[in-house]
């Protein structure tokens, strides 16, 4: 891309156009690109959760209903973060722990365990599941998101070059 400027007035006009494009056009293009790239990732995360979570006990259906994937942008740092969150009725689900392969769940009443020779109620258990239900889809689509955002920046640069 080549931009030619003649005189101080032309330089000020170019600076104004760049600021406007940076504020409006670039933000609009980046948001559209993010929305286009996040939708397939969200579907992939949901599909991966259905394959990974245990079917018995109903947790697979509960988690699938509460899963949300969203993009967060830090404008000044130029950072993009894709977030997977799952809101429950009482508290948020521990997506980080699930992604590590640990599903923590309550035990039925009457379960107990031995601690220092005494039987105590065991209210919670941890079940090992396949790790990476959220991170695998993100890693698989990182190049696509990067390309989509680069195309958006390129479209804005072309608009600027045209004037």
């Amino acid at each position: 891309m080549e931009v030619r400027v003649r005189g101080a007035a032309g330089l000020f006009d170019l600076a104004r156009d760049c600021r406007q494009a940076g504020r409006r056009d670039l933000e609009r293009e980046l948001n559209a690109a993010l929305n286009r790239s996040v939708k397939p990732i969200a579907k992939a995360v949901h599909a991966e959760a259905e394959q990974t979570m245990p079917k018995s006990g109903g947790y697979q259906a509960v988690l699938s209903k509460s899963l949300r994937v969203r993009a967060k942008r830090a404008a000044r740092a130029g950072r993009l973060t894709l977030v997977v969150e799952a809101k429950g009725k009482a508290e948020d689900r521990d997506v980080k722990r699930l992604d590590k392969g640990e599903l923590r769940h309550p035990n039925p009443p009457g379960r107990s365990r031995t601690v220092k020779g005494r039987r105590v109620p065991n209210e919670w258990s941890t079940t090992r599941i396949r790790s990476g239900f959220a991170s695998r889809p993100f890693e698989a689509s990182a190049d696509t998101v990067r390309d989509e955002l680069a195309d958006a920046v390129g479209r804005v640069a072309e608009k600027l070059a045209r004037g």
Side-chain angles (χ1 to χ4, degrees):
M1 176 177 83
E2 184 177 323
V3 178
R4 293 180 189 228
V5 178
R6 291 186 183 223
L11 185 60
F12 287 123
D13 289 343
L14 176 65
R16 182 194 66 231
D17 291 345
C18 286
R19 278 194 304 273
Q20 287 176 350
R23 286 188 191 129
R24 293 188 198 115
D25 295 343
L26 185 59
E27 186 172 342
R28 191 177 309 127
E29 287 287 340
L30 286 178
N31 284 336
L34 278 176
N35 289 335
R36 281 192 302 272
S37 59
V38 168
K39 285 180 184 179
I41 295 172
K43 288 180 183 177
V45 168
H46 279 275
E48 195 69 36
E50 287 181 12
Q51 291 176 353
T52 304
M53 297 302 148
K55 292 170 184 54
S56 63
Y59 192 71
Q60 178 188 48
V62 168
L63 182 67
S64 291
K65 281 194 281 186
S66 64
L67 272 178
R68 301 287 179 264
V69 178
R70 63 185 176 89
K72 287 174 34 177
R73 281 193 310 125
R76 296 219 171 156
R79 183 180 304 138
L80 169 67
T81 307
L82 295 173
V83 179
V84 177
E85 55 191 10
K87 305 258 184 207
K89 287 182 181 178
E91 62 187 39
D92 294 348
R93 309 209 184 281
D94 195 353
V95 175
K96 286 183 182 178
R97 195 169 189 176
L98 289 170
D99 196 49
K100 287 181 183 176
E102 298 175 0
L103 171 60
R104 189 169 171 262
H105 58 90
N107 280 327
R111 289 261 178 107
S112 61
R113 61 191 166 110
T114 304
V115 176
K116 295 182 182 179
R118 293 184 327 158
R119 297 298 290 172
V120 296
N122 186 18
E123 297 174 5
W124 292 89
S125 287
T126 301
T127 300
R128 297 292 307 161
I129 58 174
R130 183 177 174 211
S131 63
F133 92 94
S135 57
R136 276 191 306 274
F138 281 108
E139 291 167 3
S141 60
D143 292 335
T144 307
V145 173
R146 191 176 309 114
D147 293 344
E148 191 79 38
L149 294 176
D151 290 344
V153 172
R155 285 191 295 273
V156 172
E158 287 175 11
K159 286 181 185 178
L160 279 175
R162 285 191 302 245

